[in-house]
Amino acid sequence: MTNEQREGETIVSISDLAKDLGLTTRTLRYWEEVGIVESVERQDGATRGYTPYYVRRIKFIMKLKELGLTIKEMQDLYAAYGDAKQTEKMIPRLIETLDQHVAKVDEKMAQLASLRQDIVGYRQKMMKQFAIFSAAER
């Protein structure tokens, strides 16, 4: 999935981009392998390069990753975005995916709140038993 550079665009090398974004070059290569990132067409095995457009996409992918999206979900979004590069086709799918993640987070928060209640209850029980044990030793 490589594309050619547009005239006048600055190309950032994979090593410089990785360093600037706090990623590894292996991560960028992997993302390209799985089809969620593209680089400009390389001449005779030259180093991968990224136009400003691809750098923005990589930053977007980093944000999606931070939000908890899986590689598969990112691949689906990229497919929805399509070859026409139409954002309006991707946005509804992104909203749907984010809604699913919000539901998962809400579920986990409820489970954690329940666990917290159990731990606090157990702690209080132990404190009472310790108080009875301490009083009996005196």
Side-chain angles (χ1 to χ4, degrees):
M1 284 198 163
T2 59
N3 285 323
E4 291 186 33
Q5 170 187 4
R6 292 184 185 140
E7 193 171 325
E9 281 187 317
T10 303
I11 301 299
V12 180
S13 73
I14 188 171
S15 58
D16 288 344
L17 183 61
K19 183 177 163 187
D20 290 347
L21 298 179
L23 298 170
T24 64
T25 56
R26 178 64 195 126
T27 295
L28 290 169
R29 286 184 194 103
Y30 175 71
W31 287 353
E32 191 171 338
E33 287 169 20
V34 298
I36 60 173
V37 167
E38 297 177 40
S39 62
V40 294
E41 214 167 273
R42 292 164 283 189
Q43 300 291 343
D44 300 322
T47 304
R48 284 175 171 85
Y50 300 91
T51 64
Y53 169 79
Y54 293 133
V55 172
R56 284 191 305 275
R57 276 193 49 79
I58 291 166
K59 288 179 180 178
F60 181 64
I61 287 166
M62 290 172 67
K63 188 64 171 172
L64 294 177
K65 187 173 183 281
E66 187 179 305
L67 293 172
L69 272 71
T70 64
I71 294 291
K72 174 70 173 119
E73 288 167 326
M74 288 187 241
Q75 287 170 325
D76 292 346
L77 284 174
Y78 191 72
Y81 187 61
D83 292 331
K85 309 288 188 246
Q86 295 175 345
T87 303
E88 64 273 7
K89 289 184 176 184
M90 180 187 61
I91 297 300
R93 181 68 183 114
L94 176 59
I95 291 169
E96 180 184 324
T97 301
L98 292 175
D99 286 346
Q100 291 169 357
H101 277 271
V102 167
K104 287 177 188 176
V105 167
D106 288 346
E107 184 180 321
K108 286 179 184 178
M109 288 174 62
Q111 291 170 348
L112 287 172
S114 176
L115 176 60
R116 184 183 189 285
Q117 258 185 326
D118 292 346
I119 291 170
V120 168
Y122 185 73
R123 181 185 180 278
Q124 288 172 341
K125 182 179 173 182
M126 292 297 105
M127 291 296 291
K128 285 179 188 175
Q129 286 182 348
F130 180 72
I132 293 170
F133 177 74
S134 293
E137 284 188 345
R138 291 181 200 181

